Coordinates of all heavy atoms in Angstrom, one line a residue:
M1 N -5.9 7.4 -1.8 CA -6.8 6.5 -2.3 C -7.8 7.1 -3.2 O -8.8 6.5 -3.6 CB -7.6 5.9 -1.1 CG -6.7 5.0 -0.3 SD -7.6 4.1 1.0 CE -8.0 5.4 2.1
S2 N -7.7 8.4 -3.6 CA -8.7 9.1 -4.4 C -8.8 8.5 -5.8 O -9.9 8.5 -6.4 CB -8.4 10.6 -4.4 OG -7.1 10.8 -5.1
R3 N -7.7 8.0 -6.4 CA -7.8 7.5 -7.7 C -8.4 6.1 -7.8 O -8.9 5.6 -8.8 CB -6.4 7.4 -8.3 CG -6.4 7.0 -9.8 CD -5.1 6.5 -10.3 NE -5.1 6.0 -11.6 CZ -5.5 4.8 -12.0 NH1 -5.9 4.0 -11.1 NH2 -5.4 4.5 -13.2
A4 N -8.3 5.4 -6.7 CA -8.7 4.0 -6.6 C -10.2 3.9 -6.9 O -11.0 4.8 -6.6 CB -8.4 3.4 -5.3
G5 N -10.6 2.7 -7.5 CA -12.0 2.4 -7.7 C -12.7 2.2 -6.4 O -12.1 2.2 -5.3
A6 N -14.0 1.9 -6.5 CA -14.8 1.7 -5.3 C -14.3 0.6 -4.4 O -14.2 0.7 -3.2 CB -16.3 1.5 -5.7
V7 N -14.0 -0.5 -5.0 CA -13.6 -1.7 -4.2 C -12.2 -1.4 -3.5 O -12.1 -1.6 -2.3 CB -13.5 -3.0 -5.1 CG1 -12.9 -4.1 -4.3 CG2 -14.9 -3.4 -5.5
P8 N -11.2 -1.0 -4.2 CA -9.9 -0.7 -3.5 C -10.1 0.4 -2.5 O -9.5 0.3 -1.4 CB -9.0 -0.3 -4.6 CG -9.5 -1.0 -5.8 CD -11.0 -0.9 -5.6
R9 N -10.8 1.4 -2.8 CA -11.0 2.5 -1.8 C -11.7 2.0 -0.6 O -11.3 2.4 0.5 CB -11.8 3.6 -2.5 CG -11.9 4.9 -1.7 CD -12.5 6.1 -2.5 NE -13.6 5.7 -3.3 CZ -13.6 5.8 -4.7 NH1 -12.5 6.1 -5.3 NH2 -14.6 5.5 -5.4
T10 N -12.7 1.2 -0.8 CA -13.4 0.6 0.4 C -12.5 -0.2 1.2 O -12.6 -0.2 2.5 CB -14.6 -0.2 -0.1 OG1 -15.5 0.7 -0.8 CG2 -15.4 -0.8 1.1
A11 N -11.6 -1.0 0.6 CA -10.7 -1.9 1.3 C -9.8 -1.0 2.2 O -9.6 -1.3 3.4 CB -9.9 -2.7 0.4
G12 N -9.2 0.0 1.7 CA -8.4 0.9 2.5 C -9.1 1.6 3.6 O -8.6 1.7 4.7
L13 N -10.3 2.1 3.3 CA -11.1 2.8 4.3 C -11.5 1.8 5.5 O -11.5 2.2 6.6 CB -12.3 3.4 3.7 CG -12.0 4.6 2.8 CD1 -13.3 5.1 2.1 CD2 -11.4 5.8 3.6
E14 N -11.8 0.6 5.1 CA -12.2 -0.4 6.1 C -11.0 -0.7 7.1 O -11.2 -0.8 8.3 CB -12.6 -1.7 5.5 CG -14.1 -1.7 5.1 CD -15.0 -1.4 6.2 OE1 -14.9 -2.1 7.3 OE2 -15.9 -0.6 6.0
I15 N -9.8 -0.7 6.6 CA -8.6 -0.9 7.4 C -8.5 0.3 8.4 O -8.2 0.0 9.6 CB -7.4 -1.0 6.5 CG1 -7.4 -2.3 5.7 CG2 -6.1 -1.0 7.4 CD1 -7.4 -3.6 6.5
L16 N -8.7 1.5 7.9 CA -8.6 2.6 8.8 C -9.7 2.6 9.9 O -9.5 2.9 11.0 CB -8.7 3.9 8.0 CG -7.6 4.2 7.1 CD1 -7.9 5.5 6.2 CD2 -6.3 4.4 7.9
K17 N -10.9 2.2 9.5 CA -12.1 2.1 10.4 C -11.8 1.1 11.5 O -12.3 1.2 12.6 CB -13.4 1.8 9.7 CG -13.9 2.9 8.9 CD -15.2 2.5 8.2 CE -15.7 3.5 7.2 NZ -16.9 3.0 6.5
Q18 N -11.0 0.1 11.1 CA -10.8 -1.0 12.1 C -9.5 -0.7 12.9 O -9.0 -1.6 13.7 CB -10.6 -2.3 11.4 CG -11.9 -2.8 10.7 CD -11.7 -4.1 9.9 OE1 -10.9 -4.9 10.2 NE2 -12.5 -4.3 8.9
G19 N -9.0 0.5 12.8 CA -7.8 0.8 13.7 C -6.5 0.7 13.0 O -5.5 1.0 13.6
G20 N -6.4 0.4 11.7 CA -5.2 0.3 11.0 C -4.6 1.7 10.7 O -5.3 2.7 10.8
N21 N -3.3 1.8 10.4 CA -2.7 3.0 10.1 C -2.7 3.3 8.6 O -3.2 2.5 7.8 CB -1.3 3.1 10.7 CG -0.4 2.0 10.2 OD1 -0.5 1.6 9.1 ND2 0.5 1.6 11.0
A22 N -2.1 4.4 8.2 CA -2.1 4.7 6.7 C -1.3 3.7 5.9 O -1.7 3.4 4.8 CB -1.4 6.1 6.6
A23 N -0.2 3.1 6.5 CA 0.5 2.1 5.7 C -0.3 0.8 5.5 O -0.3 0.2 4.5 CB 1.8 1.8 6.5
D24 N -1.1 0.5 6.6 CA -2.0 -0.7 6.5 C -3.0 -0.4 5.4 O -3.3 -1.3 4.5 CB -2.7 -1.0 7.8 CG -1.8 -1.3 8.9 OD1 -0.7 -1.9 8.6 OD2 -2.1 -1.0 10.1
A25 N -3.6 0.8 5.4 CA -4.6 1.1 4.4 C -4.1 1.1 3.0 O -4.7 0.7 2.0 CB -5.3 2.4 4.8
A26 N -2.9 1.7 2.8 CA -2.2 1.7 1.5 C -2.0 0.3 1.0 O -2.2 0.0 -0.2 CB -0.9 2.5 1.6
A27 N -1.5 -0.6 1.9 CA -1.3 -2.0 1.5 C -2.6 -2.6 1.0 O -2.6 -3.3 0.0 CB -0.6 -2.7 2.6
A28 N -3.6 -2.4 1.8 CA -4.9 -3.0 1.4 C -5.4 -2.5 0.1 O -6.0 -3.3 -0.7 CB -5.9 -2.8 2.5
T29 N -5.3 -1.2 -0.1 CA -5.7 -0.6 -1.4 C -4.9 -1.1 -2.5 O -5.5 -1.5 -3.6 CB -5.5 0.9 -1.3 OG1 -6.3 1.4 -0.2 CG2 -6.0 1.6 -2.6
I30 N -3.6 -1.2 -2.4 CA -2.8 -1.8 -3.5 C -3.1 -3.2 -3.8 O -3.1 -3.7 -4.9 CB -1.3 -1.6 -3.2 CG1 -1.0 -0.1 -3.2 CG2 -0.4 -2.3 -4.1 CD1 0.4 0.3 -2.7
L31 N -3.3 -4.0 -2.7 CA -3.7 -5.4 -2.9 C -5.0 -5.5 -3.7 O -5.1 -6.3 -4.6 CB -3.8 -6.1 -1.6 CG -2.4 -6.5 -0.9 CD1 -2.6 -6.9 0.5 CD2 -1.7 -7.5 -1.7
A32 N -6.0 -4.7 -3.3 CA -7.2 -4.7 -4.0 C -7.1 -4.2 -5.5 O -7.7 -4.8 -6.4 CB -8.3 -3.9 -3.3
L33 N -6.3 -3.2 -5.7 CA -6.0 -2.7 -7.0 C -5.4 -3.8 -7.9 O -5.6 -3.8 -9.1 CB -5.2 -1.5 -7.0 CG -5.9 -0.2 -6.7 CD1 -4.9 0.9 -6.4 CD2 -6.8 0.2 -7.9
S34 N -4.5 -4.6 -7.3 CA -3.8 -5.6 -8.1 C -4.8 -6.7 -8.6 O -4.5 -7.4 -9.6 CB -2.7 -6.3 -7.3 OG -3.2 -7.1 -6.3
V35 N -6.0 -6.7 -8.0 CA -7.0 -7.6 -8.5 C -8.0 -6.9 -9.4 O -8.4 -7.5 -10.5 CB -7.8 -8.2 -7.3 CG1 -9.0 -9.1 -7.8 CG2 -6.9 -9.0 -6.4
T36 N -8.4 -5.7 -9.1 CA -9.4 -5.0 -9.9 C -8.9 -4.2 -11.0 O -9.7 -3.9 -12.0 CB -10.2 -4.0 -9.0 OG1 -9.4 -3.1 -8.4 CG2 -10.9 -4.8 -7.8
D37 N -7.6 -3.9 -11.1 CA -7.1 -3.1 -12.1 C -5.7 -3.6 -12.5 O -4.7 -3.0 -12.4 CB -6.9 -1.6 -11.7 CG -6.7 -0.7 -12.9 OD1 -6.5 -1.2 -14.0 OD2 -6.6 0.5 -12.6
Q38 N -5.7 -4.9 -13.0 CA -4.4 -5.6 -13.3 C -3.6 -4.9 -14.4 O -2.4 -5.2 -14.4 CB -4.7 -7.0 -13.6 CG -5.3 -7.8 -12.5 CD -5.7 -9.2 -12.9 OE1 -5.5 -9.7 -14.0 NE2 -6.3 -9.9 -12.0
A39 N -4.2 -4.1 -15.2 CA -3.4 -3.5 -16.3 C -2.5 -2.4 -15.7 O -1.4 -2.1 -16.2 CB -4.3 -2.9 -17.3
E40 N -2.9 -1.8 -14.6 CA -2.2 -0.7 -14.0 C -1.4 -1.0 -12.7 O -0.4 -0.4 -12.4 CB -3.1 0.5 -13.7 CG -3.8 1.1 -14.9 CD -2.8 1.9 -15.8 OE1 -1.9 2.4 -15.2 OE2 -3.0 1.9 -17.0
F41 N -1.9 -2.0 -12.0 CA -1.3 -2.3 -10.7 C -0.9 -3.8 -10.6 O -1.8 -4.6 -10.8 CB -2.2 -1.9 -9.5 CG -2.5 -0.4 -9.5 CD1 -3.5 0.2 -10.2 CD2 -1.6 0.4 -8.7 CE1 -3.7 1.5 -10.1 CE2 -1.9 1.8 -8.6 CZ -2.9 2.3 -9.3
Y42 N 0.3 -4.1 -10.3 CA 0.7 -5.4 -10.2 C 2.0 -5.5 -9.3 O 2.6 -4.5 -9.1 CB 1.0 -6.1 -11.5 CG 2.0 -5.4 -12.4 CD1 3.3 -5.7 -12.3 CD2 1.6 -4.3 -13.2 CE1 4.3 -5.0 -13.0 CE2 2.5 -3.6 -14.0 CZ 3.9 -4.0 -13.9 OH 4.8 -3.3 -14.6
F43 N 2.3 -6.6 -8.8 CA 3.5 -6.8 -8.0 C 4.6 -7.1 -8.9 O 4.6 -8.0 -9.7 CB 3.3 -7.9 -7.0 CG 2.3 -7.5 -5.9 CD1 1.0 -7.9 -6.0 CD2 2.7 -6.6 -4.9 CE1 0.1 -7.5 -5.0 CE2 1.8 -6.2 -3.9 CZ 0.5 -6.7 -4.0
G44 N 5.7 -6.4 -8.7 CA 6.9 -6.6 -9.5 C 7.7 -5.3 -9.6 O 7.2 -4.3 -9.1
S45 N 8.9 -5.4 -10.1 CA 9.7 -4.2 -10.3 C 10.2 -3.7 -8.9 O 10.5 -4.4 -8.0 CB 9.0 -3.2 -11.1 OG 9.9 -2.2 -11.5
E46 N 10.2 -2.4 -8.8 CA 10.7 -1.7 -7.6 C 9.6 -1.1 -6.7 O 8.6 -0.7 -7.3 CB 11.6 -0.6 -7.9 CG 12.8 -1.0 -8.7 CD 13.7 0.2 -9.1 OE1 13.4 1.3 -8.7 OE2 14.6 0.0 -9.9
V47 N 9.8 -1.2 -5.4 CA 8.8 -0.6 -4.5 C 9.5 0.2 -3.4 O 9.7 -0.3 -2.3 CB 7.8 -1.7 -3.9 CG1 6.8 -1.0 -3.0 CG2 7.2 -2.5 -5.0
P48 N 10.0 1.4 -3.7 CA 10.6 2.2 -2.6 C 9.5 2.8 -1.8 O 8.5 3.4 -2.3 CB 11.4 3.2 -3.3 CG 10.7 3.4 -4.7 CD 10.1 2.0 -5.0
I49 N 9.6 2.7 -0.5 CA 8.5 3.2 0.4 C 9.2 4.0 1.6 O 10.2 3.5 2.1 CB 7.7 2.0 1.0 CG1 7.0 1.2 -0.1 CG2 6.6 2.6 2.0 CD1 6.4 -0.1 0.4
L50 N 8.6 5.1 1.9 CA 9.1 5.9 3.0 C 8.0 5.9 4.1 O 6.8 6.1 3.7 CB 9.4 7.3 2.7 CG 10.6 7.6 1.8 CD1 10.8 9.0 1.4 CD2 11.9 7.0 2.4
V51 N 8.3 5.6 5.3 CA 7.3 5.5 6.4 C 7.8 6.4 7.5 O 8.9 6.3 8.0 CB 7.2 4.0 6.9 CG1 6.2 4.0 8.1 CG2 6.7 3.1 5.8
Y52 N 6.9 7.3 7.9 CA 7.2 8.2 9.0 C 6.6 7.7 10.3 O 5.4 7.4 10.4 CB 6.7 9.6 8.8 CG 6.9 10.5 9.9 CD1 8.2 10.9 10.3 CD2 5.8 11.0 10.7 CE1 8.4 11.8 11.3 CE2 6.0 11.9 11.7 CZ 7.3 12.3 12.1 OH 7.5 13.1 13.1
D53 N 7.4 7.4 11.3 CA 7.0 7.0 12.6 C 6.9 8.2 13.5 O 7.9 8.7 14.0 CB 8.0 5.9 13.2 CG 7.5 5.4 14.5 OD1 6.7 6.0 15.2 OD2 8.0 4.3 14.9
A54 N 5.7 8.7 13.7 CA 5.5 9.9 14.5 C 5.9 9.8 16.0 O 6.3 10.7 16.6 CB 4.0 10.3 14.4
R55 N 5.7 8.6 16.5 CA 6.1 8.4 17.9 C 7.6 8.6 18.2 O 8.0 9.1 19.2 CB 5.7 7.0 18.4 CG 4.2 6.9 18.7 CD 3.8 5.6 19.3 NE 2.8 5.0 18.4 CZ 2.5 3.8 18.2 NH1 3.2 2.9 18.8 NH2 1.6 3.4 17.4
R56 N 8.4 8.1 17.2 CA 9.8 8.2 17.3 C 10.4 9.4 16.6 O 11.5 9.7 16.7 CB 10.5 6.9 16.8 CG 10.1 5.7 17.6 CD 10.9 4.5 17.2 NE 10.6 4.2 15.8 CZ 11.5 3.6 15.0 NH1 12.7 3.3 15.4 NH2 11.2 3.3 13.7
G57 N 9.6 10.0 15.7 CA 10.0 11.1 14.9 C 11.1 10.7 13.9 O 12.0 11.4 13.6
V58 N 10.9 9.5 13.3 CA 11.9 8.9 12.4 C 11.2 8.5 11.1 O 10.1 8.0 11.1 CB 12.5 7.6 13.1 CG1 13.4 6.9 12.1 CG2 13.2 8.0 14.3
V59 N 11.9 8.8 10.0 CA 11.5 8.3 8.7 C 12.4 7.1 8.4 O 13.6 7.1 8.5 CB 11.7 9.4 7.6 CG1 11.4 8.9 6.2 CG2 10.9 10.6 7.9
E60 N 11.7 6.0 8.0 CA 12.4 4.8 7.6 C 12.1 4.5 6.1 O 11.0 4.7 5.7 CB 12.0 3.6 8.5 CG 12.4 3.8 9.9 CD 12.0 2.7 10.8 OE1 10.8 2.4 10.9 OE2 12.9 2.1 11.4
A61 N 13.1 3.9 5.5 CA 13.0 3.6 4.1 C 12.9 2.0 4.0 O 13.6 1.3 4.6 CB 14.2 4.0 3.3
I62 N 11.9 1.6 3.2 CA 11.8 0.2 2.9 C 12.0 0.0 1.4 O 11.4 0.6 0.6 CB 10.4 -0.3 3.2 CG1 10.1 -0.1 4.7 CG2 10.2 -1.8 2.9 CD1 8.6 -0.3 5.1
S63 N 13.0 -0.8 1.1 CA 13.4 -1.1 -0.3 C 12.8 -2.4 -0.8 O 13.1 -3.4 -0.3 CB 14.9 -1.0 -0.5 OG 15.2 -1.3 -1.8
G64 N 11.9 -2.3 -1.8 CA 11.3 -3.6 -2.3 C 12.0 -4.0 -3.6 O 11.3 -4.5 -4.5
M65 N 13.3 -3.7 -3.8 CA 14.0 -4.0 -5.0 C 14.7 -5.3 -4.9 O 15.0 -5.8 -3.8 CB 15.0 -2.9 -5.3 CG 14.3 -1.6 -5.6 SD 15.5 -0.3 -6.1 CE 16.3 0.1 -4.6
G66 N 14.8 -5.9 -6.0 CA 15.6 -7.2 -6.0 C 14.7 -8.3 -6.5 O 13.5 -8.2 -6.8
A67 N 15.3 -9.4 -6.7 CA 14.6 -10.6 -7.2 C 13.6 -11.2 -6.2 O 13.9 -11.2 -5.0 CB 15.6 -11.7 -7.6
A68 N 12.5 -11.6 -6.7 CA 11.5 -12.2 -5.8 C 11.9 -13.7 -5.5 O 12.5 -14.3 -6.4 CB 10.1 -12.2 -6.4
P69 N 11.6 -14.2 -4.4 CA 12.0 -15.6 -4.1 C 11.2 -16.6 -5.0 O 10.0 -16.2 -5.4 CB 11.6 -15.8 -2.7 CG 10.7 -14.7 -2.3 CD 11.0 -13.6 -3.3
H70 N 11.7 -17.7 -5.3 CA 11.0 -18.7 -6.2 C 10.3 -19.7 -5.3 O 10.7 -20.1 -4.3 CB 12.0 -19.4 -7.1 CG 12.6 -18.5 -8.1 ND1 12.0 -18.0 -9.2 CD2 13.8 -17.9 -8.1 CE1 12.8 -17.2 -9.9 NE2 13.9 -17.1 -9.2

């Protein structure tokens, strides 16, 4: 969240303060960036994400590729 502006950074930090995890905070930051910095951040294209579940010791891949529903 270091590159994010004040509003997106605050959104991510608030999620962490309220008990959310890093993935929750990242999602909140990206959502805020899509509003405050539309030239750089927007929804579309590909979104490959790796999430590590420490409790299970497993890395899972989430693929955000493909056409969006209409």
